[in-house]
Amino acid sequence: LSIMVGGDANAVATVAPCLEALGQTIVHQGGPGTGQHAKMVNQTLIATNMIGVCEALLYAQQAGLDLNRVMQSVASGAAGSWSLSNLGPRIIAGNFDPGFYVEHFLKDMGIALAEAKRMGLDLPGLALAESLYRDVDEMGHGRSGTHALALALAKRSSVTLSD
């Protein structure tokens, strides 16, 4: 677990032992609210990266490629990511058990988009991801893992993910 924390330095130091029990990477981002903003950066990266992971695997499937061989080819190169290496095999296996729930991800994306709007930012990639994840939720997968995005993308293309 990577922990992004904001707040008074003395307060953060006081709770450091608790944080260390939860995760190995703990970064004090600055004053109050900065940890939340860093978390929104994290969620934005995951949301947009997950689109690429799911679309790529769907493309590979429809091209008739062996998905495990594709993973072997791309996961360790420039296209590699934690999501691809850890959730890609689960997508291939049809295992959409949660590590992080879609419904919680939607909440976070809503927060990030609201904050972006407040800051005068237009984040079309994140807005697209939120829209796609709403489709996942409407399919009844709000309590599935974020990689269940593959199901909504397959549905949009009128294909079925193979196991």
Side-chain angles (χ1 to χ4, degrees), residues 24 26 34 50-51 55 59 67 78 85 94 100 110 116 126 128-129:
Q24 294 180 359
I26 302 159
T34 58
M50 190 59 66
I51 293 171
E55 286 185 347
Y59 179 95
L67 298 182
S85 295
F100 194 75
L126 184 58
L128 171 62

Side-chain angles (χ1 to χ4, degrees), residues 123-143:
L123 302 181
L126 184 58
L128 171 62
E130 183 196 36
S131 171
L132 294 171
Y133 275 101
R134 291 218 177 278
D135 292 350
V136 176
D137 190 45
E138 289 170 9
M139 290 173 64
H141 288 281
R143 302 286 287 174

Side-chain angles (χ1 to χ4, degrees), residues 2-109:
S2 181
I3 300 171
M4 304 131 213
V5 61
D8 175 74
N10 291 329
V12 172
T14 300
V15 299
C18 295
L19 298 176
E20 291 164 359
L22 297 171
Q24 294 180 359
T25 302
I26 302 159
V27 180
H28 182 209
Q29 300 292 325
T34 58
Q36 178 73 8
H37 283 296
K39 175 68 173 178
M40 294 306 101
V41 169
N42 184 76
Q43 299 305 71
T44 300
L45 287 164
I46 291 170
T48 54
N49 181 267
M50 190 59 66
I51 293 171
V53 168
C54 294
E55 286 185 347
L57 290 174
L58 189 61
Y59 179 95
Q61 174 188 295
Q62 291 308 108
L65 301 175
D66 179 300
L67 298 182
N68 291 307
R69 285 187 188 158
V70 169
M71 287 288 296
Q72 186 179 11
S73 299
V74 302
S76 64
S81 69
W82 186 96
S83 295
L84 179 63
S85 295
N86 290 277
L87 298 177
R90 293 176 68 189
I91 293 167
I92 293 168
N95 175 357
F96 298 101
D97 291 344
F100 194 75
Y101 292 121
V102 167
E103 63 188 28
H104 295 164
F105 205 33
L106 279 165
K107 171 194 61 78
D108 287 353
M109 286 185 281

